[in-house]
Amino acid sequence: MQAVLTVDLGAIAANWRLLRDRAAPGLVAGVVKADGYGLGAGPVGRALLEAGCRHFFVAHLAEGIALRAAIGPGPMIAVLNGFAPGGDEGVGLLPVLNGPGDVAAWSAAARAAGRRLPALLHLDTGMARLGLAETEVAALAEDPGRLAGIDLRWVMTHLACADEPASPLNAAQAARFAALRARLPAAPASFANSSGLFLGPAFASDLARPGCALYGINPTPGQPNPMRQAVRLEAPVLQVREVPAGTPVGYGATWTAPRTSRIATVAAGYADGYLRSLSGRATGILAGHPVPLVGRVSMDLITFDVTDLPAGAPAVAPGAMVQLIGPGNTPDDVAAAAGTIGYEILTSLGARYRREYRGA
Ligand SMILES: *Cc1c(COP(=O)(O)O)cnc(C)c1O
């Protein structure tokens, strides 16, 4: 008996179309880094392609090479972490140039190749993570020859606090981005991530880069989620046992049955990305009814208290599937219980699930 991860590609395609309509007349890319946020960059990439997406972002060169094999030639694939010239093995990936060293390397490579090489240029406007700092943009502005040979397809920046609409950093970043772009050769702009698409017209650009919202994570925390759920994780009950009051359950004996209890042991654990910090805090759904996780999350097993299933609910037996993530216990809900964000829940999903893809 194996856990099953069901990915609804139709929901992901619908989420992309919703964001496309929000961003119009700007274009909308699909961010499929980290194996499509854990859901499978190949199937997700093909579903987005079918929905009309023509611009993709990954983080690593190897992710870009794999995505190119999955979606074929044509669509743009940009590599956010960048890569050295000659690294893309001819499959036509675009590097994101994240600093003056990257710019120099690609300009030199263009000179050596005797042709212009396409790239994106990343400007830092408030994250101090990657991207050219203001002084580095100033140096480029003074000596535009440093960009010689680079075919500047997009100039991009990334929002630090897009999921906090009240943060003054959002408007500050928009203003800095406009000011820095004005000092550089004209190129289309790429700005908003998922949450940025919900911040208003000042965050519109030629190419938005949503990731999490495609996968059903709420881009507007604290407000109703406009996105469709795309993930369901179900794991099988291995055993059901009745324990008397006073029985400790699981490692560390952190939970003790307060009454005669029925405990269902389920085949998933932290090795499957069901984070240990969910111990005693998560909720499963069994035959439509919420059941509390009790005790610690172990590597391969978790335990639910199924004592209170309503009369009339089917008897719990080995093989019954408990929904660990899905409607009613969304990635955002599970993340809140674990003290993290939905992104981490999705990108932690393990390799021991049978993966099923529902059609786009
Ligand atoms: C991950 C990432 C995105 C997508 O962000 P979401 O919050 O998942 O929409 C966009 N741009 C950059 C530079 C990123 O690193």
Side-chain angles (χ1 to χ4, degrees), residues 31 33 37 57 80 122 129 156-158 191-195 209-213 215 343:
V31 179
K33 60 192 180 186
Y37 288 48
F57 286 82
L80 289 166
H122 186 180
R129 201 175 62 164
M156 61 172 270
T157 194
H158 191 43
F191 192 8
N193 64 342
S194 298
S195 293
R209 301 185 311 274
C212 73
Y215 311 106
Y343 301 64

PDB file of all heavy atoms in Angstrom, residues 31 33 37 57 80 122 129 156-158 191-195 209-213 215 343, ligand 1:
ATOM      1  N   VAL A  31       6.742  29.874 -13.524  1.00  0.00           N
ATOM      2  CA  VAL A  31       7.953  29.565 -12.765  1.00  0.00           C
ATOM      3  C   VAL A  31       7.857  28.106 -12.315  1.00  0.00           C
ATOM      4  O   VAL A  31       6.935  27.741 -11.570  1.00  0.00           O
ATOM      5  CB  VAL A  31       8.137  30.520 -11.574  1.00  0.00           C
ATOM      6  CG1 VAL A  31       9.393  30.154 -10.791  1.00  0.00           C
ATOM      7  CG2 VAL A  31       8.225  31.965 -12.069  1.00  0.00           C
ATOM      8  N   LYS A  33      10.679  26.234 -11.233  1.00  0.00           N
ATOM      9  CA  LYS A  33      11.913  25.830 -10.540  1.00  0.00           C
ATOM     10  C   LYS A  33      11.600  24.750  -9.498  1.00  0.00           C
ATOM     11  O   LYS A  33      10.428  24.552  -9.130  1.00  0.00           O
ATOM     12  CB  LYS A  33      12.546  27.054  -9.880  1.00  0.00           C
ATOM     13  CG  LYS A  33      11.662  27.734  -8.845  1.00  0.00           C
ATOM     14  CD  LYS A  33      12.218  29.099  -8.432  1.00  0.00           C
ATOM     15  CE  LYS A  33      11.314  29.753  -7.399  1.00  0.00           C
ATOM     16  NZ  LYS A  33      11.741  31.126  -7.070  1.00  0.00           N
ATOM     17  N   TYR A  37       7.875  23.289  -8.267  1.00  0.00           N
ATOM     18  CA  TYR A  37       7.493  23.380  -6.851  1.00  0.00           C
ATOM     19  C   TYR A  37       7.135  21.999  -6.301  1.00  0.00           C
ATOM     20  O   TYR A  37       6.175  21.817  -5.542  1.00  0.00           O
ATOM     21  CB  TYR A  37       6.341  24.381  -6.653  1.00  0.00           C
ATOM     22  CG  TYR A  37       6.737  25.843  -6.813  1.00  0.00           C
ATOM     23  CD1 TYR A  37       7.497  26.264  -7.901  1.00  0.00           C
ATOM     24  CD2 TYR A  37       6.358  26.812  -5.888  1.00  0.00           C
ATOM     25  CE1 TYR A  37       7.868  27.599  -8.055  1.00  0.00           C
ATOM     26  CE2 TYR A  37       6.720  28.155  -6.033  1.00  0.00           C
ATOM     27  CZ  TYR A  37       7.470  28.537  -7.126  1.00  0.00           C
ATOM     28  OH  TYR A  37       7.834  29.856  -7.274  1.00  0.00           O
ATOM     29  N   PHE A  57      10.597  29.932 -16.222  1.00  0.00           N
ATOM     30  CA  PHE A  57      11.752  30.219 -15.371  1.00  0.00           C
ATOM     31  C   PHE A  57      12.057  28.992 -14.517  1.00  0.00           C
ATOM     32  O   PHE A  57      11.145  28.394 -13.926  1.00  0.00           O
ATOM     33  CB  PHE A  57      11.474  31.410 -14.438  1.00  0.00           C
ATOM     34  CG  PHE A  57      11.497  32.746 -15.139  1.00  0.00           C
ATOM     35  CD1 PHE A  57      10.382  33.204 -15.830  1.00  0.00           C
ATOM     36  CD2 PHE A  57      12.639  33.536 -15.117  1.00  0.00           C
ATOM     37  CE1 PHE A  57      10.396  34.430 -16.481  1.00  0.00           C
ATOM     38  CE2 PHE A  57      12.673  34.766 -15.764  1.00  0.00           C
ATOM     39  CZ  PHE A  57      11.545  35.215 -16.453  1.00  0.00           C
ATOM     40  N   LEU A  80      17.252  31.298 -13.467  1.00  0.00           N
ATOM     41  CA  LEU A  80      17.343  32.400 -12.504  1.00  0.00           C
ATOM     42  C   LEU A  80      18.703  32.489 -11.841  1.00  0.00           C
ATOM     43  O   LEU A  80      19.204  33.581 -11.581  1.00  0.00           O
ATOM     44  CB  LEU A  80      16.261  32.233 -11.426  1.00  0.00           C
ATOM     45  CG  LEU A  80      14.817  32.497 -11.884  1.00  0.00           C
ATOM     46  CD1 LEU A  80      13.838  31.975 -10.848  1.00  0.00           C
ATOM     47  CD2 LEU A  80      14.590  33.978 -12.139  1.00  0.00           C
ATOM     48  N   HIS A 122      19.245  41.110 -14.179  1.00  0.00           N
ATOM     49  CA  HIS A 122      18.537  41.199 -12.894  1.00  0.00           C
ATOM     50  C   HIS A 122      19.053  42.399 -12.108  1.00  0.00           C
ATOM     51  O   HIS A 122      20.262  42.514 -11.873  1.00  0.00           O
ATOM     52  CB  HIS A 122      18.776  39.892 -12.120  1.00  0.00           C
ATOM     53  CG  HIS A 122      17.994  39.769 -10.848  1.00  0.00           C
ATOM     54  ND1 HIS A 122      18.080  38.667 -10.037  1.00  0.00           N
ATOM     55  CD2 HIS A 122      17.108  40.594 -10.243  1.00  0.00           C
ATOM     56  CE1 HIS A 122      17.281  38.820  -8.987  1.00  0.00           C
ATOM     57  NE2 HIS A 122      16.689  39.981  -9.098  1.00  0.00           N
ATOM     58  N   ARG A 129      20.000  40.030  -2.600  1.00  0.00           N
ATOM     59  CA  ARG A 129      20.212  38.593  -2.735  1.00  0.00           C
ATOM     60  C   ARG A 129      20.977  38.367  -4.034  1.00  0.00           C
ATOM     61  O   ARG A 129      22.155  38.073  -4.019  1.00  0.00           O
ATOM     62  CB  ARG A 129      18.823  37.921  -2.734  1.00  0.00           C
ATOM     63  CG  ARG A 129      18.821  36.484  -2.368  1.00  0.00           C
ATOM     64  CD  ARG A 129      17.407  35.938  -2.284  1.00  0.00           C
ATOM     65  NE  ARG A 129      16.676  36.004  -3.542  1.00  0.00           N
ATOM     66  CZ  ARG A 129      15.553  35.317  -3.787  1.00  0.00           C
ATOM     67  NH1 ARG A 129      15.021  34.562  -2.853  1.00  0.00           N
ATOM     68  NH2 ARG A 129      14.947  35.425  -4.944  1.00  0.00           N
ATOM     69  N   MET A 156      14.841  42.460 -15.213  1.00  0.00           N
ATOM     70  CA  MET A 156      13.928  41.988 -14.167  1.00  0.00           C
ATOM     71  C   MET A 156      14.362  42.422 -12.770  1.00  0.00           C
ATOM     72  O   MET A 156      15.521  42.774 -12.532  1.00  0.00           O
ATOM     73  CB  MET A 156      13.824  40.455 -14.196  1.00  0.00           C
ATOM     74  CG  MET A 156      15.136  39.726 -13.943  1.00  0.00           C
ATOM     75  SD  MET A 156      14.909  37.926 -13.769  1.00  0.00           S
ATOM     76  CE  MET A 156      14.632  37.820 -12.004  1.00  0.00           C
ATOM     77  N   THR A 157      13.390  42.425 -11.857  1.00  0.00           N
ATOM     78  CA  THR A 157      13.697  42.544 -10.438  1.00  0.00           C
ATOM     79  C   THR A 157      12.681  41.692  -9.680  1.00  0.00           C
ATOM     80  O   THR A 157      11.739  41.168 -10.275  1.00  0.00           O
ATOM     81  CB  THR A 157      13.701  44.008  -9.965  1.00  0.00           C
ATOM     82  OG1 THR A 157      14.327  44.076  -8.677  1.00  0.00           O
ATOM     83  CG2 THR A 157      12.290  44.573  -9.849  1.00  0.00           C
ATOM     84  N   HIS A 158      12.898  41.524  -8.383  1.00  0.00           N
ATOM     85  CA  HIS A 158      12.071  40.596  -7.609  1.00  0.00           C
ATOM     86  C   HIS A 158      11.652  41.270  -6.312  1.00  0.00           C
ATOM     87  O   HIS A 158      12.457  41.910  -5.644  1.00  0.00           O
ATOM     88  CB  HIS A 158      12.896  39.333  -7.319  1.00  0.00           C
ATOM     89  CG  HIS A 158      12.099  38.196  -6.754  1.00  0.00           C
ATOM     90  ND1 HIS A 158      10.861  37.834  -7.221  1.00  0.00           N
ATOM     91  CD2 HIS A 158      12.380  37.331  -5.751  1.00  0.00           C
ATOM     92  CE1 HIS A 158      10.415  36.784  -6.537  1.00  0.00           C
ATOM     93  NE2 HIS A 158      11.315  36.470  -5.633  1.00  0.00           N
ATOM     94  N   PHE A 191       8.583  41.828 -13.680  1.00  0.00           N
ATOM     95  CA  PHE A 191       8.542  42.335 -12.307  1.00  0.00           C
ATOM     96  C   PHE A 191       7.814  41.382 -11.350  1.00  0.00           C
ATOM     97  O   PHE A 191       8.457  40.708 -10.542  1.00  0.00           O
ATOM     98  CB  PHE A 191       7.879  43.727 -12.339  1.00  0.00           C
ATOM     99  CG  PHE A 191       8.004  44.527 -11.063  1.00  0.00           C
ATOM    100  CD1 PHE A 191       8.798  44.102 -10.012  1.00  0.00           C
ATOM    101  CD2 PHE A 191       7.325  45.733 -10.915  1.00  0.00           C
ATOM    102  CE1 PHE A 191       8.917  44.851  -8.842  1.00  0.00           C
ATOM    103  CE2 PHE A 191       7.433  46.491  -9.760  1.00  0.00           C
ATOM    104  CZ  PHE A 191       8.225  46.042  -8.728  1.00  0.00           C
ATOM    105  N   ALA A 192       6.496  41.300 -11.436  1.00  0.00           N
ATOM    106  CA  ALA A 192       5.714  40.690 -10.354  1.00  0.00           C
ATOM    107  C   ALA A 192       5.867  39.179 -10.285  1.00  0.00           C
ATOM    108  O   ALA A 192       5.903  38.495 -11.302  1.00  0.00           O
ATOM    109  CB  ALA A 192       4.240  41.040 -10.529  1.00  0.00           C
ATOM    110  N   ASN A 193       5.934  38.652  -9.071  1.00  0.00           N
ATOM    111  CA  ASN A 193       5.725  37.220  -8.807  1.00  0.00           C
ATOM    112  C   ASN A 193       4.225  37.014  -8.579  1.00  0.00           C
ATOM    113  O   ASN A 193       3.414  37.896  -8.899  1.00  0.00           O
ATOM    114  CB  ASN A 193       6.572  36.780  -7.605  1.00  0.00           C
ATOM    115  CG  ASN A 193       6.137  37.468  -6.322  1.00  0.00           C
ATOM    116  OD1 ASN A 193       5.452  38.483  -6.355  1.00  0.00           O
ATOM    117  ND2 ASN A 193       6.533  36.919  -5.202  1.00  0.00           N
ATOM    118  N   SER A 194       3.832  35.892  -8.010  1.00  0.00           N
ATOM    119  CA  SER A 194       2.393  35.625  -7.827  1.00  0.00           C
ATOM    120  C   SER A 194       1.716  36.745  -7.053  1.00  0.00           C
ATOM    121  O   SER A 194       0.724  37.334  -7.502  1.00  0.00           O
ATOM    122  CB  SER A 194       2.196  34.308  -7.062  1.00  0.00           C
ATOM    123  OG  SER A 194       2.719  33.217  -7.770  1.00  0.00           O
ATOM    124  N   SER A 195       2.225  37.028  -5.853  1.00  0.00           N
ATOM    125  CA  SER A 195       1.562  38.025  -5.010  1.00  0.00           C
ATOM    126  C   SER A 195       1.645  39.412  -5.635  1.00  0.00           C
ATOM    127  O   SER A 195       0.719  40.216  -5.493  1.00  0.00           O
ATOM    128  CB  SER A 195       2.187  38.037  -3.614  1.00  0.00           C
ATOM    129  OG  SER A 195       1.915  36.830  -2.937  1.00  0.00           O
ATOM    130  N   ARG A 209       6.058  36.821 -13.356  1.00  0.00           N
ATOM    131  CA  ARG A 209       6.716  35.525 -13.094  1.00  0.00           C
ATOM    132  C   ARG A 209       6.056  34.809 -11.916  1.00  0.00           C
ATOM    133  O   ARG A 209       6.684  34.602 -10.881  1.00  0.00           O
ATOM    134  CB  ARG A 209       8.203  35.733 -12.769  1.00  0.00           C
ATOM    135  CG  ARG A 209       9.031  36.415 -13.842  1.00  0.00           C
ATOM    136  CD  ARG A 209      10.513  36.437 -13.441  1.00  0.00           C
ATOM    137  NE  ARG A 209      10.711  36.913 -12.086  1.00  0.00           N
ATOM    138  CZ  ARG A 209      10.817  38.188 -11.738  1.00  0.00           C
ATOM    139  NH1 ARG A 209      10.767  39.136 -12.649  1.00  0.00           N
ATOM    140  NH2 ARG A 209      10.982  38.524 -10.467  1.00  0.00           N
ATOM    141  N   PRO A 210       4.805  34.391 -12.036  1.00  0.00           N
ATOM    142  CA  PRO A 210       4.191  33.680 -10.919  1.00  0.00           C
ATOM    143  C   PRO A 210       4.668  32.235 -10.822  1.00  0.00           C
ATOM    144  O   PRO A 210       4.874  31.565 -11.826  1.00  0.00           O
ATOM    145  CB  PRO A 210       2.694  33.735 -11.244  1.00  0.00           C
ATOM    146  CG  PRO A 210       2.654  33.787 -12.735  1.00  0.00           C
ATOM    147  CD  PRO A 210       3.883  34.560 -13.160  1.00  0.00           C
ATOM    148  N   GLY A 211       4.814  31.794  -9.593  1.00  0.00           N
ATOM    149  CA  GLY A 211       5.110  30.393  -9.320  1.00  0.00           C
ATOM    150  C   GLY A 211       4.036  29.819  -8.414  1.00  0.00           C
ATOM    151  O   GLY A 211       3.113  29.135  -8.855  1.00  0.00           O
ATOM    152  N   CYS A 212       4.101  30.154  -7.131  1.00  0.00           N
ATOM    153  CA  CYS A 212       3.272  29.486  -6.118  1.00  0.00           C
ATOM    154  C   CYS A 212       1.789  29.473  -6.455  1.00  0.00           C
ATOM    155  O   CYS A 212       1.105  28.464  -6.220  1.00  0.00           O
ATOM    156  CB  CYS A 212       3.520  30.115  -4.746  1.00  0.00           C
ATOM    157  SG  CYS A 212       2.816  31.761  -4.541  1.00  0.00           S
ATOM    158  N   ALA A 213       1.271  30.577  -6.996  1.00  0.00           N
ATOM    159  CA  ALA A 213      -0.176  30.656  -7.250  1.00  0.00           C
ATOM    160  C   ALA A 213      -0.606  29.624  -8.291  1.00  0.00           C
ATOM    161  O   ALA A 213      -1.744  29.144  -8.263  1.00  0.00           O
ATOM    162  CB  ALA A 213      -0.570  32.063  -7.696  1.00  0.00           C
ATOM    163  N   TYR A 215       0.251  26.721  -8.384  1.00  0.00           N
ATOM    164  CA  TYR A 215       0.117  25.439  -7.700  1.00  0.00           C
ATOM    165  C   TYR A 215      -0.928  25.486  -6.594  1.00  0.00           C
ATOM    166  O   TYR A 215      -1.029  24.556  -5.797  1.00  0.00           O
ATOM    167  CB  TYR A 215       1.498  25.016  -7.172  1.00  0.00           C
ATOM    168  CG  TYR A 215       2.553  25.137  -8.256  1.00  0.00           C
ATOM    169  CD1 TYR A 215       3.491  26.162  -8.260  1.00  0.00           C
ATOM    170  CD2 TYR A 215       2.552  24.244  -9.325  1.00  0.00           C
ATOM    171  CE1 TYR A 215       4.416  26.284  -9.282  1.00  0.00           C
ATOM    172  CE2 TYR A 215       3.472  24.371 -10.359  1.00  0.00           C
ATOM    173  CZ  TYR A 215       4.405  25.395 -10.330  1.00  0.00           C
ATOM    174  OH  TYR A 215       5.305  25.522 -11.355  1.00  0.00           O
ATOM    175  N   TYR A 343       4.983  26.943   0.116  1.00  0.00           N
ATOM    176  CA  TYR A 343       6.080  26.636  -0.811  1.00  0.00           C
ATOM    177  C   TYR A 343       6.936  25.486  -0.261  1.00  0.00           C
ATOM    178  O   TYR A 343       7.375  24.611  -1.000  1.00  0.00           O
ATOM    179  CB  TYR A 343       7.037  27.817  -0.970  1.00  0.00           C
ATOM    180  CG  TYR A 343       6.538  29.147  -1.464  1.00  0.00           C
ATOM    181  CD1 TYR A 343       5.623  29.901  -0.742  1.00  0.00           C
ATOM    182  CD2 TYR A 343       7.050  29.696  -2.629  1.00  0.00           C
ATOM    183  CE1 TYR A 343       5.229  31.158  -1.180  1.00  0.00           C
ATOM    184  CE2 TYR A 343       6.663  30.956  -3.074  1.00  0.00           C
ATOM    185  CZ  TYR A 343       5.753  31.680  -2.342  1.00  0.00           C
ATOM    186  OH  TYR A 343       5.368  32.918  -2.765  1.00  0.00           O
TER     187      TYR A 343
HETATM  188  C1  LIG B   1      10.593  31.957  -7.154  1.00  0.00           C
HETATM  189  C2  LIG B   1      10.636  33.205  -7.922  1.00  0.00           C
HETATM  190  C3  LIG B   1       9.476  33.695  -8.550  1.00  0.00           C
HETATM  191  C4  LIG B   1       8.109  33.097  -8.302  1.00  0.00           C
HETATM  192  O1  LIG B   1       7.671  33.509  -7.028  1.00  0.00           O
HETATM  193  P1  LIG B   1       6.254  33.079  -6.423  1.00  0.00           P
HETATM  194  O2  LIG B   1       6.203  33.791  -5.132  1.00  0.00           O
HETATM  195  O3  LIG B   1       6.306  31.590  -6.246  1.00  0.00           O
HETATM  196  O4  LIG B   1       5.213  33.475  -7.386  1.00  0.00           O
HETATM  197  C5  LIG B   1       9.608  34.796  -9.371  1.00  0.00           C
HETATM  198  N1  LIG B   1      10.802  35.406  -9.542  1.00  0.00           N
HETATM  199  C6  LIG B   1      11.923  34.973  -8.938  1.00  0.00           C
HETATM  200  C7  LIG B   1      13.199  35.706  -9.155  1.00  0.00           C
HETATM  201  C8  LIG B   1      11.879  33.877  -8.093  1.00  0.00           C
HETATM  202  O5  LIG B   1      12.989  33.470  -7.458  1.00  0.00           O
END
